[in-house]
Amino acid sequence: MSKVIVVGAGLGGVSVAFELREKLSATVDIEVIHEGNEFNFVPSNPWVALGSRTREQVVLPIAPIFDKHHIGFNSSGVKQIDVEHKRLTLGDGSQKDYDFLVLCSGPKLAFEQIPGAGPEHGYTQSICTVDHAVKAHQAFQRLIDDPGPVLVGALPGASCFGPAYEYVLSLEYELRKRKIRDRVPITFVTPEPYIGHMGLGGVGDSKGLMEHQFREHGIKWVCNAKVTEFEQDKASFEVINDDGSIKSQQQLPYHLAMFLPAFKGSPAIAEVPDLCNPKGFVKTDKYQRALAYPEIYAAGVCVAIAPIEETPVPVGAPKTGLMIESMTSAIVANIQSTLAEQPATTEPTLSALCLADMGNTGMAFLAVPQNPPRNQNWTGSGRWVHWAKIGFEKYFFHKVKHGTSEPVYERVGMRMLGVSRLKPKS
């Protein structure tokens, strides 16, 4: 009997596990290893931070769902990977052998790179995990009681910018609802070379649309910003010229600061010889296989993807939801081929479809593929995006609860938009 182990039960992990179970024979043993017992729909975390969702509304106990679909589960995480013997040592001390290993472990949050950053050992808030979002909501409640300046943005090397834009515009909306917006100056501080870059070199007219939103809502912004330190009530940063020289050094006060960090790879994965780049991200080929170990596959944030372009302050390329599901579908198809003693030939399209809620409106981005040059490159906005994001949240929870990866109606709907997860085979 072949054994497939999936590391991680986030968006990528649950998607690949369910699709493996759908596509592979019942004689193939599938098990998911995760740190903790919950699935968190991370795109909902900004809502938790601002009080329109509770923690309980954006997480699911995942073990019973896996059990129902005959997928094994262990919640103790991975401590060590022995690639020579194809064996994992888990956090509870047990060991698991594998024939195929699928890494969907997500990132380690590198707050330690900036003194004073992070909600656990620093002064800033985060929405990267649901528990961080709960702490951010407590900080938001303190802001309501004691209004003052707010800073929102990302740290040098960050690759995930969409949630910061969602948070700052949704926060602005919540402050207006409470009629205290006039007492809360907001500044967006980002390493991006321009607003709306998002690590993607822009999508459609994302620059123009985002600048319009910020101007309309009175949000100031600072680009090419390299944050150097947070103190309890102020942030220090350098503004960098295009040639890499320092244009200015600035400090801004805050009552609340929410900054997204740079990511790096999981320590257990980063320690495997020849598996990862210096940041701990898995180096893969076009079939999502690890370059050094063909029995290991990777999807999602843990995959090494080069930046779109060189920027004065380093930024990374994001791995969005559809892009991750594109990777996982390719992985399943290629494991199927290998089990049938056929070569791996399936490539992901790596497209991106993003819905960014902004209070009572929103912006949508479609990039096919995610990295330029693109076949489709479109940005839209309107109240419909707000409702589409709510609908997508409910739909994805439905998929997880029912143990499915890509229902037929989703596949048909995406094709109507000119989007598919997999490249056609030549």
PDB file of all heavy atoms in Angstrom, residues 32 36 41 51 62 68 72 74-75 80 88 96-97 112 126 149 213-214 217 222 236 264 293 311 341 395 421:
ATOM      1  N   VAL A  32      -2.765  13.491   7.060  1.00  0.00           N
ATOM      2  CA  VAL A  32      -2.404  14.910   7.185  1.00  0.00           C
ATOM      3  C   VAL A  32      -1.763  15.129   8.551  1.00  0.00           C
ATOM      4  O   VAL A  32      -2.290  14.680   9.574  1.00  0.00           O
ATOM      5  CB  VAL A  32      -3.637  15.821   7.028  1.00  0.00           C
ATOM      6  CG1 VAL A  32      -3.254  17.283   7.236  1.00  0.00           C
ATOM      7  CG2 VAL A  32      -4.274  15.631   5.660  1.00  0.00           C
ATOM      8  N   GLY A  36      -1.911  21.595  15.571  1.00  0.00           N
ATOM      9  CA  GLY A  36      -3.218  22.013  16.060  1.00  0.00           C
ATOM     10  C   GLY A  36      -4.332  21.221  15.412  1.00  0.00           C
ATOM     11  O   GLY A  36      -4.118  20.416  14.499  1.00  0.00           O
ATOM     12  N   PHE A  41      -9.858  29.652   8.059  1.00  0.00           N
ATOM     13  CA  PHE A  41     -10.003  30.308   6.766  1.00  0.00           C
ATOM     14  C   PHE A  41      -9.348  31.681   6.883  1.00  0.00           C
ATOM     15  O   PHE A  41      -9.968  32.665   7.291  1.00  0.00           O
ATOM     16  CB  PHE A  41     -11.476  30.421   6.386  1.00  0.00           C
ATOM     17  CG  PHE A  41     -11.699  30.945   4.991  1.00  0.00           C
ATOM     18  CD1 PHE A  41     -11.282  30.221   3.890  1.00  0.00           C
ATOM     19  CD2 PHE A  41     -12.326  32.161   4.794  1.00  0.00           C
ATOM     20  CE1 PHE A  41     -11.466  30.711   2.599  1.00  0.00           C
ATOM     21  CE2 PHE A  41     -12.545  32.652   3.510  1.00  0.00           C
ATOM     22  CZ  PHE A  41     -12.103  31.919   2.409  1.00  0.00           C
ATOM     23  N   GLY A  51     -13.997  42.858  14.286  1.00  0.00           N
ATOM     24  CA  GLY A  51     -15.198  42.541  15.039  1.00  0.00           C
ATOM     25  C   GLY A  51     -16.406  42.087  14.271  1.00  0.00           C
ATOM     26  O   GLY A  51     -17.461  41.849  14.873  1.00  0.00           O
ATOM     27  N   ILE A  62     -10.945  20.089  12.403  1.00  0.00           N
ATOM     28  CA  ILE A  62     -10.697  19.412  11.136  1.00  0.00           C
ATOM     29  C   ILE A  62     -10.613  17.891  11.262  1.00  0.00           C
ATOM     30  O   ILE A  62     -10.892  17.172  10.290  1.00  0.00           O
ATOM     31  CB  ILE A  62      -9.415  19.979  10.486  1.00  0.00           C
ATOM     32  CG1 ILE A  62      -9.328  19.603   9.006  1.00  0.00           C
ATOM     33  CG2 ILE A  62      -8.173  19.543  11.243  1.00  0.00           C
ATOM     34  CD1 ILE A  62     -10.395  20.196   8.143  1.00  0.00           C
ATOM     35  N   LYS A  68     -14.083  11.318   8.565  1.00  0.00           N
ATOM     36  CA  LYS A  68     -15.259  10.966   7.770  1.00  0.00           C
ATOM     37  C   LYS A  68     -14.886  10.576   6.355  1.00  0.00           C
ATOM     38  O   LYS A  68     -15.551   9.732   5.729  1.00  0.00           O
ATOM     39  CB  LYS A  68     -16.224  12.159   7.760  1.00  0.00           C
ATOM     40  CG  LYS A  68     -17.504  11.934   6.963  1.00  0.00           C
ATOM     41  CD  LYS A  68     -18.388  13.164   7.023  1.00  0.00           C
ATOM     42  CE  LYS A  68     -19.645  12.991   6.187  1.00  0.00           C
ATOM     43  NZ  LYS A  68     -20.495  14.215   6.232  1.00  0.00           N
ATOM     44  N   GLY A  72      -6.230  10.016   7.450  1.00  0.00           N
ATOM     45  CA  GLY A  72      -5.642  10.046   8.779  1.00  0.00           C
ATOM     46  C   GLY A  72      -5.254  11.458   9.180  1.00  0.00           C
ATOM     47  O   GLY A  72      -5.101  12.349   8.336  1.00  0.00           O
ATOM     48  N   ASN A  74      -2.920  13.801  12.336  1.00  0.00           N
ATOM     49  CA  ASN A  74      -2.142  13.941  13.558  1.00  0.00           C
ATOM     50  C   ASN A  74      -1.915  15.428  13.784  1.00  0.00           C
ATOM     51  O   ASN A  74      -1.520  16.158  12.855  1.00  0.00           O
ATOM     52  CB  ASN A  74      -0.802  13.207  13.432  1.00  0.00           C
ATOM     53  CG  ASN A  74       0.008  13.246  14.718  1.00  0.00           C
ATOM     54  OD1 ASN A  74       0.483  14.283  15.139  1.00  0.00           O
ATOM     55  ND2 ASN A  74       0.184  12.080  15.340  1.00  0.00           N
ATOM     56  N   SER A  75      -2.158  15.907  14.992  1.00  0.00           N
ATOM     57  CA  SER A  75      -2.139  17.348  15.282  1.00  0.00           C
ATOM     58  C   SER A  75      -0.853  17.822  15.955  1.00  0.00           C
ATOM     59  O   SER A  75      -0.796  18.946  16.437  1.00  0.00           O
ATOM     60  CB  SER A  75      -3.327  17.708  16.173  1.00  0.00           C
ATOM     61  OG  SER A  75      -3.232  17.039  17.425  1.00  0.00           O
ATOM     62  N   GLN A  80      10.980  16.644  12.367  1.00  0.00           N
ATOM     63  CA  GLN A  80      12.158  16.349  11.551  1.00  0.00           C
ATOM     64  C   GLN A  80      11.754  15.527  10.333  1.00  0.00           C
ATOM     65  O   GLN A  80      10.830  14.704  10.405  1.00  0.00           O
ATOM     66  CB  GLN A  80      13.199  15.582  12.373  1.00  0.00           C
ATOM     67  CG  GLN A  80      14.522  15.356  11.661  1.00  0.00           C
ATOM     68  CD  GLN A  80      15.527  14.625  12.536  1.00  0.00           C
ATOM     69  OE1 GLN A  80      15.166  13.687  13.247  1.00  0.00           O
ATOM     70  NE2 GLN A  80      16.777  15.061  12.509  1.00  0.00           N
ATOM     71  N   LEU A  88       9.204  10.690   8.757  1.00  0.00           N
ATOM     72  CA  LEU A  88       8.972  11.897   9.542  1.00  0.00           C
ATOM     73  C   LEU A  88       9.015  11.577  11.025  1.00  0.00           C
ATOM     74  O   LEU A  88       8.496  10.539  11.460  1.00  0.00           O
ATOM     75  CB  LEU A  88       7.607  12.502   9.216  1.00  0.00           C
ATOM     76  CG  LEU A  88       7.271  12.825   7.764  1.00  0.00           C
ATOM     77  CD1 LEU A  88       5.866  13.418   7.690  1.00  0.00           C
ATOM     78  CD2 LEU A  88       8.282  13.774   7.162  1.00  0.00           C
ATOM     79  N   LYS A  96       6.556   8.438  11.121  1.00  0.00           N
ATOM     80  CA  LYS A  96       5.685   8.049  10.014  1.00  0.00           C
ATOM     81  C   LYS A  96       6.536   7.892   8.754  1.00  0.00           C
ATOM     82  O   LYS A  96       7.311   8.790   8.409  1.00  0.00           O
ATOM     83  CB  LYS A  96       4.612   9.118   9.756  1.00  0.00           C
ATOM     84  CG  LYS A  96       3.704   9.436  10.940  1.00  0.00           C
ATOM     85  CD  LYS A  96       2.599   8.431  11.082  1.00  0.00           C
ATOM     86  CE  LYS A  96       1.632   8.852  12.191  1.00  0.00           C
ATOM     87  NZ  LYS A  96       0.511   7.906  12.338  1.00  0.00           N
ATOM     88  N   ASP A  97       6.388   6.767   8.076  1.00  0.00           N
ATOM     89  CA  ASP A  97       7.045   6.566   6.793  1.00  0.00           C
ATOM     90  C   ASP A  97       6.130   7.018   5.660  1.00  0.00           C
ATOM     91  O   ASP A  97       4.896   6.950   5.778  1.00  0.00           O
ATOM     92  CB  ASP A  97       7.398   5.089   6.602  1.00  0.00           C
ATOM     93  CG  ASP A  97       8.457   4.615   7.584  1.00  0.00           C
ATOM     94  OD1 ASP A  97       9.234   5.450   8.065  1.00  0.00           O
ATOM     95  OD2 ASP A  97       8.492   3.404   7.882  1.00  0.00           O
ATOM     96  N   GLU A 112      10.814  38.662  13.999  1.00  0.00           N
ATOM     97  CA  GLU A 112      12.054  38.918  14.726  1.00  0.00           C
ATOM     98  C   GLU A 112      13.059  39.726  13.907  1.00  0.00           C
ATOM     99  O   GLU A 112      14.031  40.259  14.453  1.00  0.00           O
ATOM    100  CB  GLU A 112      12.689  37.591  15.160  1.00  0.00           C
ATOM    101  CG  GLU A 112      13.367  36.774  14.065  1.00  0.00           C
ATOM    102  CD  GLU A 112      12.407  35.992  13.178  1.00  0.00           C
ATOM    103  OE1 GLU A 112      11.195  35.990  13.471  1.00  0.00           O
ATOM    104  OE2 GLU A 112      12.872  35.373  12.210  1.00  0.00           O
ATOM    105  N   SER A 126      -1.159  41.832  14.059  1.00  0.00           N
ATOM    106  CA  SER A 126      -1.063  41.005  12.854  1.00  0.00           C
ATOM    107  C   SER A 126      -2.414  40.361  12.608  1.00  0.00           C
ATOM    108  O   SER A 126      -3.224  40.198  13.528  1.00  0.00           O
ATOM    109  CB  SER A 126       0.013  39.923  13.049  1.00  0.00           C
ATOM    110  OG  SER A 126      -0.151  38.849  12.137  1.00  0.00           O
ATOM    111  N   PRO A 149      -3.498  58.131  16.185  1.00  0.00           N
ATOM    112  CA  PRO A 149      -2.941  57.750  14.887  1.00  0.00           C
ATOM    113  C   PRO A 149      -2.862  56.244  14.708  1.00  0.00           C
ATOM    114  O   PRO A 149      -2.597  55.487  15.658  1.00  0.00           O
ATOM    115  CB  PRO A 149      -1.543  58.373  14.903  1.00  0.00           C
ATOM    116  CG  PRO A 149      -1.568  59.392  15.990  1.00  0.00           C
ATOM    117  CD  PRO A 149      -2.560  58.924  16.994  1.00  0.00           C
ATOM    118  N   GLN A 213      -8.895  55.108  -3.945  1.00  0.00           N
ATOM    119  CA  GLN A 213      -9.517  54.713  -2.674  1.00  0.00           C
ATOM    120  C   GLN A 213      -8.862  55.446  -1.508  1.00  0.00           C
ATOM    121  O   GLN A 213      -9.549  55.949  -0.610  1.00  0.00           O
ATOM    122  CB  GLN A 213      -9.394  53.197  -2.487  1.00  0.00           C
ATOM    123  CG  GLN A 213     -10.261  52.360  -3.403  1.00  0.00           C
ATOM    124  CD  GLN A 213     -11.722  52.371  -2.993  1.00  0.00           C
ATOM    125  OE1 GLN A 213     -12.064  52.678  -1.850  1.00  0.00           O
ATOM    126  NE2 GLN A 213     -12.595  52.028  -3.922  1.00  0.00           N
ATOM    127  N   PHE A 214      -7.537  55.506  -1.499  1.00  0.00           N
ATOM    128  CA  PHE A 214      -6.845  56.146  -0.386  1.00  0.00           C
ATOM    129  C   PHE A 214      -7.134  57.648  -0.343  1.00  0.00           C
ATOM    130  O   PHE A 214      -7.350  58.211   0.731  1.00  0.00           O
ATOM    131  CB  PHE A 214      -5.337  55.899  -0.498  1.00  0.00           C
ATOM    132  CG  PHE A 214      -4.891  54.560   0.057  1.00  0.00           C
ATOM    133  CD1 PHE A 214      -5.776  53.504   0.211  1.00  0.00           C
ATOM    134  CD2 PHE A 214      -3.576  54.358   0.425  1.00  0.00           C
ATOM    135  CE1 PHE A 214      -5.373  52.286   0.713  1.00  0.00           C
ATOM    136  CE2 PHE A 214      -3.152  53.142   0.941  1.00  0.00           C
ATOM    137  CZ  PHE A 214      -4.053  52.106   1.088  1.00  0.00           C
ATOM    138  N   HIS A 217     -10.675  58.335   0.893  1.00  0.00           N
ATOM    139  CA  HIS A 217     -10.907  58.055   2.311  1.00  0.00           C
ATOM    140  C   HIS A 217      -9.863  58.704   3.217  1.00  0.00           C
ATOM    141  O   HIS A 217      -9.804  58.394   4.412  1.00  0.00           O
ATOM    142  CB  HIS A 217     -10.938  56.542   2.541  1.00  0.00           C
ATOM    143  CG  HIS A 217     -12.088  55.868   1.857  1.00  0.00           C
ATOM    144  ND1 HIS A 217     -13.393  56.020   2.272  1.00  0.00           N
ATOM    145  CD2 HIS A 217     -12.132  55.064   0.763  1.00  0.00           C
ATOM    146  CE1 HIS A 217     -14.190  55.322   1.469  1.00  0.00           C
ATOM    147  NE2 HIS A 217     -13.451  54.742   0.548  1.00  0.00           N
ATOM    148  N   VAL A 222       3.080  55.985   2.389  1.00  0.00           N
ATOM    149  CA  VAL A 222       4.528  56.121   2.196  1.00  0.00           C
ATOM    150  C   VAL A 222       5.003  54.834   1.527  1.00  0.00           C
ATOM    151  O   VAL A 222       4.860  53.746   2.085  1.00  0.00           O
ATOM    152  CB  VAL A 222       5.272  56.317   3.528  1.00  0.00           C
ATOM    153  CG1 VAL A 222       6.771  56.488   3.275  1.00  0.00           C
ATOM    154  CG2 VAL A 222       4.705  57.490   4.308  1.00  0.00           C
ATOM    155  N   SER A 236       9.892  53.693  13.383  1.00  0.00           N
ATOM    156  CA  SER A 236      10.996  54.318  12.660  1.00  0.00           C
ATOM    157  C   SER A 236      11.182  53.602  11.332  1.00  0.00           C
ATOM    158  O   SER A 236      11.136  52.361  11.270  1.00  0.00           O
ATOM    159  CB  SER A 236      12.292  54.235  13.467  1.00  0.00           C
ATOM    160  OG  SER A 236      12.162  54.878  14.721  1.00  0.00           O
ATOM    161  N   LYS A 264       9.257  33.182   6.103  1.00  0.00           N
ATOM    162  CA  LYS A 264      10.327  32.230   5.818  1.00  0.00           C
ATOM    163  C   LYS A 264       9.782  30.832   6.036  1.00  0.00           C
ATOM    164  O   LYS A 264       8.649  30.661   6.496  1.00  0.00           O
ATOM    165  CB  LYS A 264      11.557  32.505   6.672  1.00  0.00           C
ATOM    166  CG  LYS A 264      11.363  32.452   8.173  1.00  0.00           C
ATOM    167  CD  LYS A 264      12.662  32.836   8.876  1.00  0.00           C
ATOM    168  CE  LYS A 264      12.525  32.759  10.393  1.00  0.00           C
ATOM    169  NZ  LYS A 264      13.788  33.146  11.084  1.00  0.00           N
ATOM    170  N   TYR A 293      14.348  16.025  -4.551  1.00  0.00           N
ATOM    171  CA  TYR A 293      13.686  14.792  -4.088  1.00  0.00           C
ATOM    172  C   TYR A 293      12.371  14.628  -4.839  1.00  0.00           C
ATOM    173  O   TYR A 293      11.359  15.248  -4.474  1.00  0.00           O
ATOM    174  CB  TYR A 293      13.424  14.858  -2.577  1.00  0.00           C
ATOM    175  CG  TYR A 293      14.653  15.179  -1.768  1.00  0.00           C
ATOM    176  CD1 TYR A 293      14.896  16.491  -1.335  1.00  0.00           C
ATOM    177  CD2 TYR A 293      15.589  14.200  -1.451  1.00  0.00           C
ATOM    178  CE1 TYR A 293      16.017  16.801  -0.592  1.00  0.00           C
ATOM    179  CE2 TYR A 293      16.725  14.503  -0.708  1.00  0.00           C
ATOM    180  CZ  TYR A 293      16.935  15.807  -0.290  1.00  0.00           C
ATOM    181  OH  TYR A 293      18.053  16.120   0.446  1.00  0.00           O
ATOM    182  N   THR A 311      13.011  45.640  -6.639  1.00  0.00           N
ATOM    183  CA  THR A 311      12.442  46.879  -6.117  1.00  0.00           C
ATOM    184  C   THR A 311      13.420  47.501  -5.126  1.00  0.00           C
ATOM    185  O   THR A 311      14.268  46.799  -4.557  1.00  0.00           O
ATOM    186  CB  THR A 311      11.097  46.612  -5.426  1.00  0.00           C
ATOM    187  OG1 THR A 311      11.263  45.561  -4.457  1.00  0.00           O
ATOM    188  CG2 THR A 311      10.038  46.177  -6.435  1.00  0.00           C
ATOM    189  N   GLU A 341       2.973   4.475 -12.961  1.00  0.00           N
ATOM    190  CA  GLU A 341       4.266   4.275 -13.621  1.00  0.00           C
ATOM    191  C   GLU A 341       4.366   5.058 -14.927  1.00  0.00           C
ATOM    192  O   GLU A 341       4.934   4.608 -15.917  1.00  0.00           O
ATOM    193  CB  GLU A 341       4.543   2.779 -13.847  1.00  0.00           C
ATOM    194  CG  GLU A 341       4.578   1.993 -12.552  1.00  0.00           C
ATOM    195  CD  GLU A 341       4.925   0.522 -12.762  1.00  0.00           C
ATOM    196  OE1 GLU A 341       4.954   0.089 -13.932  1.00  0.00           O
ATOM    197  OE2 GLU A 341       5.183  -0.169 -11.764  1.00  0.00           O
ATOM    198  N   TYR A 395     -18.789  29.527   0.809  1.00  0.00           N
ATOM    199  CA  TYR A 395     -18.591  28.447  -0.146  1.00  0.00           C
ATOM    200  C   TYR A 395     -17.379  27.590   0.224  1.00  0.00           C
ATOM    201  O   TYR A 395     -17.437  26.357   0.166  1.00  0.00           O
ATOM    202  CB  TYR A 395     -18.420  29.018  -1.553  1.00  0.00           C
ATOM    203  CG  TYR A 395     -18.023  27.998  -2.584  1.00  0.00           C
ATOM    204  CD1 TYR A 395     -18.883  26.956  -2.920  1.00  0.00           C
ATOM    205  CD2 TYR A 395     -16.782  28.053  -3.209  1.00  0.00           C
ATOM    206  CE1 TYR A 395     -18.524  26.009  -3.864  1.00  0.00           C
ATOM    207  CE2 TYR A 395     -16.417  27.115  -4.148  1.00  0.00           C
ATOM    208  CZ  TYR A 395     -17.290  26.098  -4.474  1.00  0.00           C
ATOM    209  OH  TYR A 395     -16.926  25.157  -5.396  1.00  0.00           O
ATOM    210  N   ARG A 421      -7.358  25.485 -13.412  1.00  0.00           N
ATOM    211  CA  ARG A 421      -6.256  25.215 -12.500  1.00  0.00           C
ATOM    212  C   ARG A 421      -5.031  24.661 -13.218  1.00  0.00           C
ATOM    213  O   ARG A 421      -3.905  24.915 -12.795  1.00  0.00           O
ATOM    214  CB  ARG A 421      -6.693  24.214 -11.427  1.00  0.00           C
ATOM    215  CG  ARG A 421      -7.745  24.732 -10.458  1.00  0.00           C
ATOM    216  CD  ARG A 421      -7.943  23.742  -9.329  1.00  0.00           C
ATOM    217  NE  ARG A 421      -8.979  24.158  -8.396  1.00  0.00           N
ATOM    218  CZ  ARG A 421      -9.296  23.504  -7.298  1.00  0.00           C
ATOM    219  NH1 ARG A 421      -8.642  22.388  -6.985  1.00  0.00           N
ATOM    220  NH2 ARG A 421     -10.249  23.937  -6.501  1.00  0.00           N
TER     221      ARG A 421
END
